[in-house]
Amino acid sequence: MERLKEHTRGINELLARYGIKFGIYKNGTFHEQLFPFDPIPRIIPKYEWDILEKGLIQRGDALNAFLRDIYGERKIVKDGVVPEDFIFASSGYLPPCQGILPPGGIYSHISGIDLVEGKDGEWYVLEVNLRIPSGASYPLIARDLTRRASSETFRVNHVVDNRQYPRLLREVMDYANVGGISVILTPGRYNSAYFEHSFLAERTGCVLAMNQDLFVENNRVYYRDMEGNRQKVGAIYRRLSDEYLDPMTFLPESLIGVPGLMSAYRAGNVAILNAPGNGVADDKGIYYFVPKMVRYYLDQEPILKNAPTYLPFYEEDRKYVLDNLEKLVVKDVAEAGGYGVIFGNKLTREELANMRHIIETESRRFIAQEVIDFRDLPILDTDGVTEVERKADLRAFVLSGERTVAWPSGLTRFSRNPDSFIVNSSQGGGFKDTWVLSR
């Protein structure tokens, strides 16, 4: 471990040289910055991972069953388990996807599940990302660099090898593929996760394509290379949001989509990973119902816990939230990346009164959660020597194809602010490797 600490600066310099960065837009301007790496890994014992793995797979299967149902027969709505108005008021529900069954029946091929470990030793799921979850590339390349810096560290510690992620991803793409090449569709250089798009394309052996490289003819998608040759496309791992995918179906002003793509998808001539319309299942409000989905679809008790959550949509929950707002965290269901998160104990009396009014008038817009005192992890301070404690979460990755698997690794993100619970890269956080032990 000490060898890894000694190489911290060198590893971060290599990450910068290789372009391992992320980008964010502020006031309409694109800013690119490093995602700081910390060498002290998060360590998950085997017995603990065995439980996490089962719980992650269970949650991935339940969410895929929910999506099949919502865009199909809607039994969960008819049986009164999830309110109809609640689902169809979600901005993530896409009517053009109704009645489309993706190849293999899989909607969420890559699920990013964000968890925290409470100081009580329990793991809690904070939210899920079923549209275009990012971040798998960072622990992959960090492990590669740390292995080079100190190969002995990985010989004496029984750490599960995490290099199988590209193979697992390619297996999922091959399972969904309806005949043709597989491509990774990127919006281009100025996307916040462009490094990851190119990295995964290289590691999986897929073609990295932009929208101008693809075209639709007779409800089939083709890739045109630099020499003008065309190849049929059987699977597209898309790395752009639903609304930009096809200007003929969604936003007509989209300049990064592929015209006619949804027609080819509806005809069953191409697979799209993850499926359009998944946002209805990762709506922060729908999160409240996931334990019920596990019982409803799988006839099992949930293995992983939700953070204690309240829906102001329900009168009883709304009353509790309004009465206890100063000790809860409120989340706007339409926001992501750490935005739209409001801690009641940080608000003034006037701000609390204003927040109560907004919750009363826009109750569907929010969820509220108890503040989990989640575990701090050691990181190296800015001097590169002193160890300090900071809040950290874990983004685990579940891949669903012929079978559902949980990748024995993940992206551990931490806050660099000692007073903050927000760990997102867009909010200035860093990342570290996640070691799952084999024994």
Side-chain angles (χ1 to χ4, degrees):
M1 199 76 72
E2 293 303 316
R3 288 289 304 277
L4 295 183
K5 294 179 187 178
E6 293 168 8
H7 287 84
T8 302
R9 178 171 293 181
I11 291 170
N12 274 291
E13 287 174 354
L14 283 173
L15 290 172
R17 186 184 305 171
Y18 294 159
I20 291 78
K21 303 176 182 180
F22 68 93
I24 55 175
Y25 282 91
K26 286 185 179 179
N27 302 320
T29 304
F30 182 77
H31 298 271
E32 194 170 53
Q33 59 196 66
L34 290 175
F35 194 8
F37 172 72
D38 184 80
I40 306 173
R42 158 173 259 151
I43 299 176
I44 302 177
K46 182 182 186 303
Y47 72 88
E48 202 167 325
W49 175 254
D50 288 345
I51 297 170
L52 277 174
E53 181 180 41
K54 291 183 177 70
L56 291 166
I57 290 171
Q58 181 190 64
R59 190 162 284 238
D61 286 343
L63 288 164
N64 263 306
F66 172 72
L67 285 161
R68 279 193 297 273
D69 190 15
I70 289 305
Y71 287 110
E73 298 182 50
R74 303 175 181 172
K75 289 181 180 179
I76 200 168
V77 174
K78 295 172 185 174
D79 289 342
V81 179
V82 181
E84 181 175 22
D85 290 347
F86 206 84
I87 289 173
F88 302 122
S90 170
S91 60
Y93 172 72
L94 299 182
C97 297
Q98 190 64 45
I100 301 178
L101 181 66
I106 304 296
Y107 284 79
S108 184
H109 306 83
I110 305 102
S111 305
I113 301 181
D114 294 345
L115 311 101
V116 293
E117 184 181 7
K119 289 184 177 176
D120 59 3
E122 292 277 0
W123 285 87
Y124 296 89
V125 177
L126 288 186
E127 61 182 70
V128 295
N129 303 269
L130 307 180
R131 286 176 254 199
I132 43 174
S134 61
S137 62
Y138 298 107
L140 279 170
I141 196 159
R143 180 77 62 84
D144 184 46
L145 292 176
T146 53
R147 189 183 287 108
R148 283 192 235 168
S150 177
S151 58
E152 183 183 351
T153 298
F154 295 91
R155 283 197 294 268
V156 299
N157 295 284
H158 304 287
V159 184
V160 175
D161 195 334
N162 73 348
R163 285 175 288 189
Q164 72 276 60
Y165 185 84
R167 175 181 58 79
L168 295 173
L169 178 58
R170 184 58 195 249
E171 286 175 1
V172 166
M173 295 181 73
D174 289 346
Y175 177 75
N177 195 303
V178 298
I181 64 170
S182 293
V183 305
I184 294 178
L185 175 60
T186 176
R189 170 70 183 79
Y190 292 104
N191 181 265
S192 61
Y194 179 74
F195 157 74
E196 179 161 87
H197 307 168
S198 56
F199 180 83
L200 291 177
E202 178 186 351
R203 293 296 178 94
T204 59
C206 294
V207 172
L208 183 66
M210 292 180 62
N211 67 313
Q212 62 263 34
D213 301 320
L214 304 178
F215 66 96
V216 176
E217 187 177 281
N218 296 325
N219 278 348
R220 286 175 170 76
V221 182
Y222 295 92
Y223 168 76
R224 183 184 290 113
D225 64 23
M226 295 180 64
E227 296 178 353
N229 302 311
R230 70 182 198 173
Q231 295 173 275
K232 184 177 180 299
V233 175
I236 298 174
Y237 177 18
R238 52 80 176 233
R239 296 303 299 259
L240 60 158
S241 300
D242 290 348
E243 61 268 31
Y244 299 109
L245 271 176
D246 181 349
M248 298 177 68
T249 300
F250 303 118
L251 287 179
E253 61 268 32
S254 172
L255 300 177
I256 56 176
V258 180
L261 176 59
M262 285 300 293
S263 296
Y265 176 58
R266 180 176 287 277
N269 292 329
V270 70
I272 301 178
L273 298 75
N274 281 340
N278 278 8
V280 70
D282 71 10
D283 181 305
K284 287 184 175 66
I286 292 295
Y287 159 93
Y288 176 90
F289 298 99
V290 175
K292 296 183 179 183
M293 293 177 199
V294 172
R295 297 184 185 101
Y296 183 81
Y297 293 116
L298 306 181
D299 194 24
Q300 300 171 3
E301 280 302 306
I303 296 169
L304 296 176
K305 294 182 178 180
N306 274 10
T309 304
Y310 307 95
L311 280 187
F313 178 81
Y314 291 124
E315 184 177 351
E316 183 180 350
D317 280 17
R318 183 166 62 251
K319 183 178 186 307
Y320 179 85
V321 171
L322 296 176
D323 289 345
N324 296 275
L325 187 58
E326 65 279 357
K327 61 182 183 182
L328 299 174
V329 56
V330 177
K331 297 180 179 181
D332 189 320
V333 300
E335 295 283 2
Y339 296 99
V341 178
I342 301 163
F343 286 86
N345 61 3
K346 302 289 186 183
L347 301 180
T348 65
R349 183 176 298 180
E350 183 179 342
E351 289 169 336
L352 281 167
N354 184 55
M355 194 70 230
R356 286 189 177 97
H357 174 71
I358 295 172
I359 290 171
E360 283 186 297
T361 56
E362 302 178 59
S363 60
R364 172 61 178 86
R365 181 180 163 189
F366 302 99
I367 64 169
Q369 294 177 327
E370 302 287 352
V371 178
I372 295 176
D373 189 12
F374 58 96
R375 182 183 170 194
D376 295 25
L377 294 181
I379 69 166
L380 291 184
D381 206 353
T382 51
D383 62 7
V385 177
T386 309
E387 286 191 23
V388 294
E389 300 274 316
R390 295 290 183 267
K391 297 297 180 188
D393 77 351
L394 171 66
R395 171 163 292 183
F397 292 87
V398 176
L399 295 99
S400 301
E402 187 174 6
R403 59 194 179 106
T404 302
V405 298
W407 181 39
S409 186
L411 176 65
T412 292
R413 300 173 296 184
F414 62 86
S415 171
R416 290 191 290 170
N417 181 343
D419 301 317
S420 177
F421 282 66
I422 307 298
V423 301
N424 304 71
S425 56
S426 56
Q427 304 293 301
F431 81 103
K432 55 172 66 206
D433 197 359
T434 304
W435 289 7
V436 174
L437 299 185
S438 59
R439 60 183 186 183

